[in-house]
Amino acid sequence: MTDPETIYQRMKDLPSARLLGAGTPMCAGCGGLQALHEIYDVLGEKTVYVNAAGCMTLLSVYPFTPFRGSWLYTAMASAPAGAQGVRDALDILLKEHRIPPAEDVDVVVLTGDGAAYGMGLSAASGAMERNLNFIYICYDNEGYGNTGQQYSAATPHAARTATSKGGQGFAGYKKDLFSIWAAHKPAYVATVIGSEPLDLARKIEKAKRMKGPRMIIALAPCPTGWDYDPQESVKIGKLAVSTGVWPLKEYLNGKVTHTMPPRQRRPVEEYLKLQGRFAHLFTPRRNEPLLAELQASVDAYWAGVG
Ligand SMILES: Cc1ncc(C[n+]2csc(CCOP(=O)(O)OP(=O)(O)O)c2C)c(N)n1
Ligand code: SF4
Ligand SMILES: [Mg+2]
């Protein structure tokens, strides 16, 4: 058997693309991993990731992590509080000249939607209130993926989840986390998706240059939870944008700007029908009222954009 030190030496010499792609226990076609991969390429190695329980936790199995920087695991509601501790420790080390400024690192919270939209929301609110200098990445696969896709506060209306079965799917509505975060007036808030990598990279580069709370929500197409063929992940991500279901936007200095508004929106149905979690809207017969309601809510959003 190979000893841990030899494994570590081999792992640390692998390029980041391989570290985050092959050899991880993630599902094929994971849209969250795609976004994280792209984000990591922009943020670079000088980062500490503070992670709350979820699918991405599987990336790091103690004492290893595929990230070249550091990784800290916290309880599900506490990642922003953990980030505060890490940032404070770094600031003390810098102030006391125990590390040079060149050794400072970005503190990055990485959680799923279950933590960001639910259990960890008050910790994020407190961190923004204290103007914590950190970046928060939420990969939003619209459910508790790691425990079998139970509904979360990010689950869209009518989707089937492990806890929302039957002809109407999930009875609730997806929480508007972008607006909740923006209401705190942090330095920056943005939505991104891995299937639009240029828009994503531009936003992460912008966030990296800033200080203060920088909050990012990445819609994360999830073949396992959303029930579709893994090779469709990029297509589904692009449809989320072109149908208007996932508006790409940013909040900066009190203003919200849409960065890729769909010129001619495609019907929402094109996005829904590729995913098994919405199959009950089409078979055994079309649920016209529910399909019309879902289209109308997207239309109403864009009518308000002006
Ligand atoms: C307080 C608490 N409750 C429940 C769990 C069990 N748990 C681990 S991961 C997870 C799902 C998290 O969902 P999300 O944040 O959306 O991440 P995903 O699994 O979708 O990546 C849950 C419920 C936990 N770790 N801590
Ligand atoms: S369940 Fe979904 S989010 Fe989790 S690893 Fe699999 S594809 Fe990715
Ligand atoms: Mg999730």
Side-chain angles (χ1 to χ4, degrees):
M1 219 174 103
T2 316
D3 67 280
E5 181 56 28
T6 309
I7 296 171
Y8 171 72
Q9 289 302 330
R10 281 185 196 156
M11 284 177 73
K12 88 176 174 38
D13 291 327
L14 292 171
S16 66
R18 176 150 173 74
L19 287 169
L20 282 172
T24 67
M26 318 300 292
C27 310
C30 175
L33 189 60
Q34 182 194 16
L36 178 60
H37 193 169
E38 294 166 11
I39 290 166
Y40 183 53
D41 278 345
V42 177
L43 292 181
E45 298 171 9
K46 292 177 70 176
T47 39
V48 178
Y49 281 83
V50 184
N51 169 247
C55 287
M56 298 302 160
T57 305
L58 302 178
L59 288 170
S60 288
V61 180
Y62 181 82
F64 303 111
T65 164
F67 295 86
R68 299 279 180 101
S70 295
W71 178 276
L72 176 74
Y73 175 69
T74 68
M76 211 172 146
S78 315
Q84 179 83 52
V86 174
R87 188 62 258 166
D88 287 351
L90 285 163
D91 288 343
I92 290 167
L93 291 172
L94 286 164
K95 193 174 164 202
E96 295 179 354
H97 305 291
R98 288 159 67 189
I99 58 168
E103 278 186 28
D104 194 13
V105 293
D106 284 320
V107 179
V108 184
V109 164
L110 175 68
T111 81
D113 50 286
Y117 286 69
M119 283 186 233
L121 183 53
S122 68
S125 176
M128 284 187 275
E129 194 182 312
R130 297 189 301 275
N131 201 32
L132 178 63
N133 187 19
F134 80 131
I135 298 172
Y136 192 137
I137 309 290
C138 164
Y139 61 96
D140 178 2
N141 63 0
E142 304 191 318
Y144 284 4
N146 187 242
T147 45
Q149 200 69 7
Q150 297 82 13
Y151 81 79
S152 77
T155 299
H157 186 56
R160 183 195 71 213
T161 73
T163 40
S164 334
K165 298 196 169 141
Q168 302 293 313
F170 179 54
Y173 294 86
K174 187 178 178 77
K175 197 183 274 183
D176 184 359
L177 185 63
F178 178 92
S179 298
I180 293 168
W181 276 354
H184 290 74
K185 304 192 190 311
Y188 188 59
V189 189
T191 59
V192 299
I193 190 162
S195 55
E196 296 296 349
L198 291 181
D199 180 79
L200 178 149
R202 193 184 62 75
K203 287 168 175 164
I204 303 299
E205 275 170 2
K206 191 184 270 189
K208 186 173 165 55
R209 287 195 297 270
M210 295 176 184
K211 294 246 182 273
R214 291 147 287 165
M215 317 295 284
I216 310 288
I217 316 170
L219 185 68
C222 167
T224 309
W226 298 8
D227 188 12
Y228 65 83
D229 187 331
Q231 69 180 341
E232 305 278 22
S233 274
V234 170
K235 186 176 176 186
I236 286 175
K238 284 188 174 292
L239 275 168
V241 176
S242 61
T243 56
V245 165
W246 186 245
L248 292 171
K249 55 188 173 179
E250 60 188 2
Y251 164 92
L252 185 62
N253 298 327
K255 197 169 154 232
V256 175
T257 308
H258 286 80
T259 54
M260 280 186 69
R263 298 270 169 251
Q264 277 197 313
R265 272 187 291 119
R266 305 187 73 81
V268 170
E269 209 177 302
E270 289 185 21
Y271 171 71
L272 304 175
K273 70 185 177 197
L274 290 177
Q275 305 172 48
R277 65 177 174 156
F278 294 112
H280 54 283
L281 300 182
F282 301 97
T283 53
R285 67 190 71 80
R286 288 173 60 86
N287 188 333
E288 297 294 357
L290 207 37
L291 286 167
E293 184 189 340
L294 293 172
Q295 182 67 58
S297 82
V298 173
D299 292 346
Y301 175 86
W302 288 101
V305 169

